[in-house]
Every structure is written in C-alpha cells, then in structure tokens.
Amino acid sequence: MGTGPGDGETKGCVGCQEALPTAARVFRSARVINVDGGEALADRRWMVRSTLEDRAGAFVLALSLGAWACANTVAPGIDESEAVPCAPGESSFAFPDLPDRVGPPGVTTGSVPHQQINPDVIPEVIDEMSERIFALPDVESRPSTIVGGATAIWLPEDLNLGRPECVISQRELGHIHQDGSLHVTLPHGRIPGAAAAGWVERHPWADTRPGFEAYVMIFSPRDSSEVDVIFDLIIQGIDFVKGS
C-alpha cells in the first residue's frame, strides 16, 4: 500500500520470501514442515520422515508451495511496519442508493486468496467493462503487481493522490481478474450500501491489516446494466484516493 510521499514499492511475495528458508530448515533436520507461504497457506503441515531422500523431497515441496503462494496470494509482501491505516476522513457527502444486484448473490472463498467462486464469465461483458474503465483519463492498464494474470487499474505517476495510504500496492487502485471480478478501493461511506445491495464484499483483511479498510471485491458483471454500476463505483474509488 502507499508508504508515504513516494508511494513505495512492494517487497515481493510473502510466500516466495519464506519458501527458501523454510525449505532449508526442513532439508537439514525437520520431521514436520510448517510451510507458511503467506496467508493462503497458513497452518498447513506436511509430515515427512527424516531420511535424506524424504527431506530432499520436502525441500522441493516447500519451494513449490511457496511459489504457489506467490502466484495466488492476494496481497503483496509489504512489511506491515510500513502500513498506514486508510482513514475515511471527514465528509458529509451522502452516496445515492444503489439498485439491488439481481439474481444469485456473489459467493467468495471468504478468505485469502479472496476469489469469487460463482462468477458468470461472459467475455463480451467483461470486455465492455474493461474498455470503459481504461478509457477514463486517470487510469492506465498494466499487469497487476498483486495478482498474476490480473489487469491493474493503474493511477498514472503524474496524478496527485490525496490518500496514497489507501492504495494497496504502488499506484494500483485495484485490478480486474480474468473472471471479471475486481478488487478495488472504494470510499468508506460507499461500502455499506454497496454490500447491502449485493455488489461488493469487504476483503478478509479489511478489519485486521492497515490499509485494507476500504478494499473490496466487486462481483463479476453479467450484463451492461451491471457494468454501469461497476463503472460508477470505480470512478468513486478514483475520486476517493485522489482526495476529491
């Protein structure tokens, strides 16, 4: 997330950072591998015998799991000592009510990696959403710095950010997953109504990690009317981090 005046940079993936030392410990002496390759793999234990052959296999396993975590973890490996809470600030603006999202409600994993598990993947609708978002003047399309294969909703370097602490990674306001669902920062005051109407779900770390307080998943759009709502939410998110 933004780490001060210079926006900051992510420091790599938690899983990748921890995989090698974990694997090395296992190779030397461990009978139990506790592979903590980021939040996605927390508390998984793999039992191995202490023969050289099994320890070598465990070494490879730990590296593989760390690489998996690096590819799938939702948040970048940022030192939490750098994290700053995303405060709502003072605003008397009242967001208008959103229409209810009709049809089956969005369902997610509810944990990290935070993924929608029931998206209706409609390529032409996802393309329409992407084209509208990336036609905005304050947005660029780049590969995500957070999730492999996702497309970042990137805020240009010359755009002044009034709330850089509310941007999870560098200048990535959010990203579009391949299934059309999105992660994005929204204004605090918009989130309760958007969640009640079925459009968003707060990130699992929203109440536990500084900077994630306003980070949500927006469910994959199923038609052009849903694209209209998502497009308005993205504009509100941009205005929020700009300090507008």
Side-chain angles (χ1 to χ4, degrees), residues 65-125:
L65 287 171
W68 181 92
C70 191
N72 290 279
T73 188
V74 172
I78 301 175
D79 185 346
E80 289 195 15
S81 66
E82 300 177 347
V84 178
C86 174
E90 295 183 7
S91 175
S92 59
F93 181 78
F95 289 95
D97 291 337
L98 291 175
D100 290 338
R101 184 177 184 268
V102 300
V107 180
T108 76
T109 55
S111 59
V112 176
H114 190 216
Q115 300 169 336
Q116 184 176 352
I117 60 178
N118 67 335
D120 291 314
V121 181
I122 307 173
E124 57 269 27
V125 175

Side-chain angles (χ1 to χ4, degrees), residues 6 10 12 23 37 50 62 92 102 113 115 118 123 134 151 154 169 200-201 204 227:
T10 58
S50 59
S92 59
V102 300
Q115 300 169 336
N118 67 335
F134 294 117
T151 303
W154 192 267
S169 174
V200 311
E201 176 180 284
V227 171

Side-chain angles (χ1 to χ4, degrees), residues 98-166:
L98 291 175
D100 290 338
R101 184 177 184 268
V102 300
V107 180
T108 76
T109 55
S111 59
V112 176
H114 190 216
Q115 300 169 336
Q116 184 176 352
I117 60 178
N118 67 335
D120 291 314
V121 181
I122 307 173
E124 57 269 27
V125 175
I126 297 173
D127 288 346
E128 176 189 353
M129 176 184 68
S130 297
E131 289 172 4
R132 291 185 63 182
I133 290 173
F134 294 117
L136 289 167
D138 292 333
V139 166
E140 295 178 0
S141 173
R142 295 194 188 184
S144 174
T145 63
I146 302 174
V147 176
T151 303
I153 302 172
W154 192 267
L155 305 174
E157 279 70 13
D158 60 356
L159 181 68
N160 182 58
L161 302 183
R163 295 186 175 94
E165 69 278 6
C166 296

Side-chain angles (χ1 to χ4, degrees), residues 137-218:
D138 292 333
V139 166
E140 295 178 0
S141 173
R142 295 194 188 184
S144 174
T145 63
I146 302 174
V147 176
T151 303
I153 302 172
W154 192 267
L155 305 174
E157 279 70 13
D158 60 356
L159 181 68
N160 182 58
L161 302 183
R163 295 186 175 94
E165 69 278 6
C166 296
V167 179
I168 296 299
S169 174
Q170 301 181 43
R171 298 184 73 90
E172 185 171 331
L173 174 76
H175 48 261
I176 304 173
H177 303 117
Q178 293 177 343
D179 64 7
S181 62
L182 308 89
H183 277 112
V184 69
T185 296
L186 293 181
H188 290 257
R190 165 45 80 198
I191 295 172
W199 295 98
V200 311
E201 176 180 284
R202 295 181 75 215
H203 191 276
W205 289 345
D207 292 323
T208 60
R209 293 202 173 189
F212 281 81
E213 292 87 350
Y215 205 54
V216 303
M217 169 172 281
I218 303 178

Side-chain angles (χ1 to χ4, degrees), residues 28-85:
R28 287 195 300 270
S29 62
R31 295 173 183 267
V32 177
I33 306 173
N34 183 2
V35 180
D36 183 9
E39 296 289 328
L41 294 178
D43 298 327
R44 292 193 181 185
R45 290 171 170 79
W46 300 79
M47 305 299 296
V48 296
R49 294 185 300 276
S50 59
T51 66
L52 179 62
E53 179 180 350
D54 285 340
R55 289 201 302 267
F59 180 85
V60 174
L61 176 62
L63 286 178
S64 298
L65 287 171
W68 181 92
C70 191
N72 290 279
T73 188
V74 172
I78 301 175
D79 185 346
E80 289 195 15
S81 66
E82 300 177 347
V84 178

